[in-house]
Amino acid sequence: MYVVSRRDDLAVLRIALEEQYERHRTQLALLARQTRRLPGDGADVAATSALAAASRRALGDIARALHYLEQGRYGTCAGCRRDIPIEELARRPSTRLCGTCRPGARRQRHP
Protein backbone atom coordinates (compact mmCIF):
# COMPACT_ATOMS: atom_id res chain seq x y z
CA MET A 1 0.00 0.00 0.00
CA TYR A 2 1.35 3.42 -0.93
CA VAL A 3 1.28 5.97 1.88
CA VAL A 4 1.70 9.64 1.07
CA SER A 5 3.52 11.67 3.68
CA ARG A 6 2.25 14.96 5.04
CA ARG A 7 5.20 16.66 3.34
CA ASP A 8 4.01 15.28 -0.01
CA ASP A 9 0.46 16.44 0.70
CA LEU A 10 1.72 19.93 1.54
CA ALA A 11 3.75 20.00 -1.68
CA VAL A 12 0.58 19.26 -3.65
CA LEU A 13 -1.28 21.97 -1.72
CA ARG A 14 1.53 24.40 -2.55
CA ILE A 15 0.98 23.79 -6.26
CA ALA A 16 -2.76 24.28 -5.85
CA LEU A 17 -2.23 27.49 -3.87
CA GLU A 18 0.16 28.86 -6.49
CA GLU A 19 -2.40 28.11 -9.21
CA GLN A 20 -5.17 29.79 -7.19
CA TYR A 21 -2.94 32.81 -6.64
CA GLU A 22 -2.36 33.21 -10.38
CA ARG A 23 -6.08 32.81 -11.12
CA HIS A 24 -6.95 35.57 -8.66
CA ARG A 25 -4.24 37.85 -10.06
CA THR A 26 -5.63 37.30 -13.54
CA GLN A 27 -9.17 37.92 -12.32
CA LEU A 28 -8.10 41.19 -10.68
CA ALA A 29 -6.43 42.35 -13.89
CA LEU A 30 -9.57 41.52 -15.89
CA LEU A 31 -11.80 43.26 -13.36
CA ALA A 32 -9.60 46.38 -13.45
CA ARG A 33 -9.85 46.44 -17.23
CA GLN A 34 -13.61 45.92 -17.05
CA THR A 35 -13.98 48.76 -14.53
CA ARG A 36 -12.25 51.16 -16.91
CA ARG A 37 -14.66 50.17 -19.69
CA LEU A 38 -17.88 50.27 -17.67
CA PRO A 39 -20.29 53.10 -18.24
CA GLY A 40 -21.46 54.96 -15.15
CA ASP A 41 -23.91 52.19 -14.15
CA GLY A 42 -23.61 52.00 -10.37
CA ALA A 43 -24.79 48.39 -10.10
CA ASP A 44 -22.11 47.07 -12.48
CA VAL A 45 -19.40 49.11 -10.79
CA ALA A 46 -20.52 47.92 -7.33
CA ALA A 47 -20.56 44.27 -8.44
CA THR A 48 -17.15 44.57 -10.06
CA SER A 49 -15.77 46.26 -6.94
CA ALA A 50 -17.16 43.51 -4.72
CA LEU A 51 -15.55 40.83 -6.90
CA ALA A 52 -12.25 42.68 -6.87
CA ALA A 53 -12.35 43.01 -3.08
CA ALA A 54 -13.03 39.27 -2.72
CA SER A 55 -10.11 38.49 -5.03
CA ARG A 56 -7.80 40.79 -3.07
CA ARG A 57 -8.79 39.06 0.19
CA ALA A 58 -8.19 35.65 -1.40
CA LEU A 59 -4.80 36.80 -2.68
CA GLY A 60 -3.84 37.92 0.82
CA ASP A 61 -4.96 34.62 2.34
CA ILE A 62 -3.10 32.61 -0.28
CA ALA A 63 0.05 34.74 0.02
CA ARG A 64 -0.01 34.21 3.79
CA ALA A 65 -0.42 30.45 3.36
CA LEU A 66 2.47 30.34 0.88
CA HIS A 67 4.61 32.39 3.27
CA TYR A 68 3.86 29.95 6.10
CA LEU A 69 4.69 27.05 3.77
CA GLU A 70 8.09 28.62 3.10
CA GLN A 71 8.69 28.96 6.84
CA GLY A 72 7.56 25.41 7.56
CA ARG A 73 4.68 26.66 9.74
CA TYR A 74 1.80 25.95 7.37
CA GLY A 75 -0.79 23.46 8.51
CA THR A 76 -0.06 23.75 12.22
CA CYS A 77 -2.92 24.96 14.40
CA ALA A 78 -2.16 28.34 15.96
CA GLY A 79 -4.20 27.28 18.99
CA CYS A 80 -3.07 23.80 19.96
CA ARG A 81 -0.02 23.37 17.67
CA ARG A 82 -1.33 20.09 16.25
CA ASP A 83 -1.40 19.37 12.54
CA ILE A 84 -4.53 20.61 10.77
CA PRO A 85 -5.90 17.76 8.62
CA ILE A 86 -4.88 18.02 4.96
CA GLU A 87 -8.53 17.77 3.92
CA GLU A 88 -9.33 20.92 5.93
CA LEU A 89 -6.35 22.77 4.45
CA ALA A 90 -7.48 21.80 0.96
CA ARG A 91 -10.99 23.11 1.68
CA ARG A 92 -9.84 26.26 3.50
CA PRO A 93 -6.20 27.00 2.65
CA SER A 94 -6.08 30.12 4.81
CA THR A 95 -7.25 28.38 7.97
CA ARG A 96 -4.91 28.73 10.91
CA LEU A 97 -7.00 26.82 13.45
CA CYS A 98 -8.07 23.19 13.59
CA GLY A 99 -11.69 22.18 13.99
CA THR A 100 -11.30 21.94 17.77
CA CYS A 101 -9.81 25.41 18.22
CA ARG A 102 -11.85 27.30 15.60
CA PRO A 103 -14.71 29.22 17.29
CA GLY A 104 -18.14 28.17 16.14
CA ALA A 105 -16.79 25.19 14.20
CA ARG A 106 -18.22 21.76 14.54
CA ARG A 107 -16.12 20.23 17.30
CA GLN A 108 -13.71 17.49 16.35
CA ARG A 109 -11.70 15.43 18.76
CA HIS A 110 -7.96 15.06 18.41
CA PRO A 111 -6.83 11.43 18.28
Side-chain angles (χ1 to χ4, degrees), residues 56-95:
R56 281 192 293 276
R57 279 191 304 276
L59 278 172
D61 289 344
I62 294 166
R64 186 173 23 265
L66 289 169
H67 176 74
Y68 287 156
L69 266 166
E70 285 296 319
Q71 293 181 333
R73 298 187 312 159
Y74 184 70
T76 302
C77 178
C80 67
R81 301 286 182 223
R82 295 180 189 253
D83 286 342
I84 299 171
I86 293 295
E87 297 79 14
E88 177 68 13
L89 293 171
R91 235 182 351 271
R92 299 182 56 209
S94 64
T95 193

Coordinates of all heavy atoms in Angstrom, one line a residue, residues 56-95:
R56 N -8.9 40.3 -3.9 CA -7.8 40.8 -3.1 C -7.7 40.1 -1.7 O -6.6 39.8 -1.3 CB -7.9 42.3 -2.9 CG -7.5 43.1 -4.1 CD -7.4 44.6 -3.8 NE -8.7 45.2 -3.5 CZ -9.6 45.6 -4.4 NH1 -9.3 45.5 -5.6 NH2 -10.7 46.2 -4.0
R57 N -8.8 39.8 -1.1 CA -8.8 39.1 0.2 C -8.2 37.7 0.0 O -7.4 37.2 0.7 CB -10.2 39.0 0.8 CG -10.6 40.2 1.5 CD -11.9 40.0 2.3 NE -13.0 39.5 1.5 CZ -13.8 40.3 0.9 NH1 -13.7 41.6 0.9 NH2 -14.8 39.8 0.2
A58 N -8.7 37.0 -1.1 CA -8.2 35.6 -1.4 C -6.7 35.7 -1.7 O -5.9 34.8 -1.2 CB -8.9 35.1 -2.6
L59 N -6.2 36.7 -2.4 CA -4.8 36.8 -2.7 C -4.0 36.9 -1.4 O -2.9 36.3 -1.2 CB -4.5 38.0 -3.6 CG -4.7 37.8 -5.1 CD1 -4.6 39.1 -5.8 CD2 -3.7 36.8 -5.6
G60 N -4.5 37.7 -0.5 CA -3.8 37.9 0.8 C -3.8 36.6 1.6 O -2.7 36.3 2.2
D61 N -4.9 35.9 1.6 CA -5.0 34.6 2.3 C -4.0 33.6 1.7 O -3.3 32.9 2.4 CB -6.4 34.0 2.3 CG -7.4 34.8 3.2 OD1 -6.9 35.6 4.0 OD2 -8.6 34.6 3.0
I62 N -4.0 33.6 0.4 CA -3.1 32.6 -0.3 C -1.6 33.0 -0.1 O -0.8 32.1 0.2 CB -3.5 32.5 -1.8 CG1 -4.9 31.9 -1.9 CG2 -2.4 31.7 -2.5 CD1 -5.5 32.1 -3.3
A63 N -1.3 34.3 -0.2 CA 0.0 34.7 0.0 C 0.5 34.4 1.4 O 1.7 33.9 1.6 CB 0.2 36.2 -0.2
R64 N -0.4 34.6 2.4 CA 0.0 34.2 3.8 C 0.2 32.7 3.9 O 1.2 32.3 4.5 CB -1.1 34.6 4.8 CG -0.8 34.5 6.2 CD -1.8 35.0 7.2 NE -3.2 35.2 6.7 CZ -3.6 36.4 6.2 NH1 -2.9 37.4 6.1 NH2 -4.9 36.5 5.8
A65 N -0.6 31.9 3.3 CA -0.4 30.5 3.4 C 0.9 30.1 2.7 O 1.6 29.2 3.2 CB -1.6 29.7 2.7
L66 N 1.2 30.7 1.6 CA 2.5 30.3 0.9 C 3.7 30.8 1.7 O 4.7 30.1 1.8 CB 2.5 31.0 -0.5 CG 1.6 30.4 -1.5 CD1 1.5 31.3 -2.8 CD2 2.0 29.0 -1.9
H67 N 3.5 31.9 2.4 CA 4.6 32.4 3.3 C 4.8 31.4 4.4 O 6.0 31.0 4.7 CB 4.3 33.8 3.8 CG 5.2 34.3 4.8 ND1 6.5 34.8 4.4 CD2 5.1 34.4 6.1 CE1 7.1 35.2 5.5 NE2 6.3 35.0 6.6
Y68 N 3.7 30.9 5.0 CA 3.9 30.0 6.1 C 4.4 28.6 5.6 O 5.2 28.0 6.3 CB 2.5 29.7 6.8 CG 2.0 30.8 7.6 CD1 0.7 31.0 7.9 CD2 2.9 31.8 8.2 CE1 0.3 32.1 8.7 CE2 2.5 32.8 9.0 CZ 1.2 32.9 9.3 OH 0.7 34.0 10.0
L69 N 4.1 28.3 4.4 CA 4.7 27.1 3.8 C 6.2 27.2 3.7 O 7.0 26.3 4.0 CB 4.1 26.8 2.4 CG 2.9 25.8 2.3 CD1 2.2 26.0 1.0 CD2 3.3 24.4 2.6
E70 N 6.7 28.4 3.2 CA 8.1 28.6 3.1 C 8.8 28.5 4.5 O 9.9 28.1 4.5 CB 8.3 30.0 2.5 CG 8.1 30.1 1.0 CD 9.0 29.2 0.2 OE1 10.2 29.2 0.5 OE2 8.5 28.6 -0.7
Q71 N 8.1 29.0 5.5 CA 8.7 29.0 6.8 C 8.5 27.6 7.5 O 9.1 27.4 8.6 CB 8.0 30.0 7.7 CG 8.3 31.4 7.3 CD 7.7 32.4 8.2 OE1 6.7 32.2 8.8 NE2 8.3 33.6 8.3
G72 N 7.8 26.7 6.9 CA 7.6 25.4 7.6 C 6.5 25.4 8.7 O 6.4 24.5 9.5
R73 N 5.7 26.5 8.7 CA 4.7 26.7 9.7 C 3.3 26.4 9.2 O 2.3 26.4 10.0 CB 4.7 28.1 10.3 CG 6.0 28.4 11.0 CD 6.0 29.8 11.7 NE 5.4 30.8 10.9 CZ 4.9 31.9 11.3 NH1 4.8 32.2 12.6 NH2 4.4 32.8 10.5
Y74 N 3.1 26.1 7.9 CA 1.8 25.9 7.4 C 1.2 24.6 7.8 O 1.9 23.6 7.9 CB 1.9 26.0 5.8 CG 0.5 25.9 5.2 CD1 -0.4 27.0 5.3 CD2 0.1 24.8 4.5 CE1 -1.6 26.9 4.7 CE2 -1.1 24.7 3.9 CZ -2.0 25.8 4.0 OH -3.2 25.7 3.4
G75 N -0.1 24.7 8.2 CA -0.8 23.5 8.5 C -0.7 23.1 10.0 O -1.2 22.1 10.4
T76 N -0.1 24.0 10.8 CA -0.1 23.7 12.2 C -1.1 24.7 12.9 O -1.1 25.9 12.6 CB 1.4 24.0 12.7 OG1 2.3 23.2 12.1 CG2 1.4 23.8 14.2
C77 N -1.9 24.2 13.7 CA -2.9 25.0 14.4 C -2.3 26.0 15.3 O -1.4 25.7 16.1 CB -3.8 24.1 15.2 SG -5.1 24.9 16.2
A78 N -2.7 27.2 15.1 CA -2.2 28.3 16.0 C -2.6 28.2 17.4 O -2.1 28.8 18.3 CB -2.6 29.7 15.4
G79 N -3.7 27.4 17.6 CA -4.2 27.3 19.0 C -3.5 26.2 19.8 O -2.9 26.4 20.8
C80 N -3.6 25.0 19.2 CA -3.1 23.8 20.0 C -1.8 23.2 19.4 O -1.2 22.3 20.0 CB -4.1 22.7 20.0 SG -4.5 22.0 18.3
R81 N -1.3 23.8 18.3 CA 0.0 23.4 17.7 C 0.0 22.0 17.1 O 1.0 21.4 16.7 CB 1.2 23.5 18.6 CG 1.4 24.9 19.2 CD 2.0 25.7 18.1 NE 2.2 27.1 18.6 CZ 1.9 28.2 18.0 NH1 1.5 28.1 16.8 NH2 2.2 29.3 18.5
R82 N -1.2 21.4 16.9 CA -1.3 20.1 16.2 C -1.5 20.3 14.8 O -1.8 21.4 14.3 CB -2.5 19.3 16.8 CG -2.4 18.9 18.2 CD -3.7 18.2 18.6 NE -3.7 18.0 20.0 CZ -3.6 16.8 20.6 NH1 -3.3 15.8 19.9 NH2 -3.6 16.7 21.9
D83 N -1.2 19.3 14.0 CA -1.4 19.4 12.5 C -2.9 19.5 12.2 O -3.7 18.8 12.7 CB -0.9 18.1 11.8 CG 0.7 18.1 11.8 OD1 1.3 19.1 12.0 OD2 1.2 17.0 11.6
I84 N -3.2 20.5 11.3 CA -4.5 20.6 10.8 C -4.7 19.6 9.7 O -3.7 19.4 8.8 CB -4.7 22.0 10.2 CG1 -4.6 23.1 11.3 CG2 -6.1 22.1 9.5 CD1 -4.5 24.5 10.8
P85 N -5.8 18.8 9.7 CA -5.9 17.8 8.6 C -5.8 18.3 7.2 O -6.3 19.4 6.9 CB -7.3 17.2 8.9 CG -7.6 17.5 10.3 CD -6.9 18.8 10.6
I86 N -5.1 17.6 6.3 CA -4.9 18.0 5.0 C -6.2 18.3 4.3 O -6.3 19.3 3.5 CB -4.1 16.9 4.2 CG1 -2.7 16.8 4.7 CG2 -4.1 17.2 2.7 CD1 -1.8 18.1 4.5
E87 N -7.2 17.5 4.6 CA -8.5 17.8 3.9 C -9.1 19.2 4.3 O -9.7 19.8 3.4 CB -9.5 16.7 4.4 CG -9.2 15.3 3.9 CD -8.1 14.7 4.8 OE1 -7.8 15.2 5.9 OE2 -7.5 13.6 4.4
E88 N -8.9 19.6 5.5 CA -9.3 20.9 5.9 C -8.5 22.0 5.2 O -9.0 23.0 4.8 CB -9.2 21.0 7.5 CG -9.6 22.4 8.0 CD -11.1 22.8 7.8 OE1 -11.9 21.9 7.5 OE2 -11.4 24.0 8.0
L89 N -7.2 21.8 5.1 CA -6.4 22.8 4.5 C -6.7 22.9 3.0 O -6.7 24.0 2.4 CB -4.9 22.4 4.6 CG -4.3 22.5 6.0 CD1 -2.9 21.8 6.1 CD2 -4.3 23.9 6.5
A90 N -7.1 21.8 2.4 CA -7.5 21.8 1.0 C -8.8 22.6 0.8 O -9.0 23.3 -0.2 CB -7.6 20.4 0.4
R91 N -9.7 22.4 1.7 CA -11.0 23.1 1.7 C -10.8 24.6 2.0 O -11.5 25.4 1.4 CB -11.9 22.5 2.7 CG -13.2 22.0 2.1 CD -14.2 21.4 3.2 NE -13.8 21.1 4.5 CZ -13.3 20.0 4.9 NH1 -13.1 19.0 4.1 NH2 -12.9 19.8 6.2
R92 N -10.0 24.9 3.0 CA -9.8 26.3 3.5 C -8.4 26.5 3.7 O -7.8 26.5 4.8 CB -10.6 26.4 4.8 CG -12.1 26.2 4.7 CD -12.8 26.4 6.0 NE -12.5 27.8 6.5 CZ -12.5 28.1 7.8 NH1 -12.7 27.2 8.7 NH2 -12.2 29.3 8.1
P93 N -7.7 26.9 2.6 CA -6.2 27.0 2.7 C -5.7 28.1 3.6 O -4.6 28.0 4.1 CB -5.8 27.4 1.2 CG -7.0 27.2 0.4 CD -8.2 27.1 1.3
S94 N -6.5 29.0 3.9 CA -6.1 30.1 4.8 C -6.3 29.8 6.3 O -6.0 30.6 7.1 CB -6.8 31.4 4.4 OG -8.2 31.3 4.6
T95 N -6.9 28.7 6.6 CA -7.3 28.4 8.0 C -6.0 28.3 8.8 O -5.0 27.8 8.3 CB -8.1 27.1 8.1 OG1 -8.6 27.0 9.4 CG2 -7.3 25.9 7.8

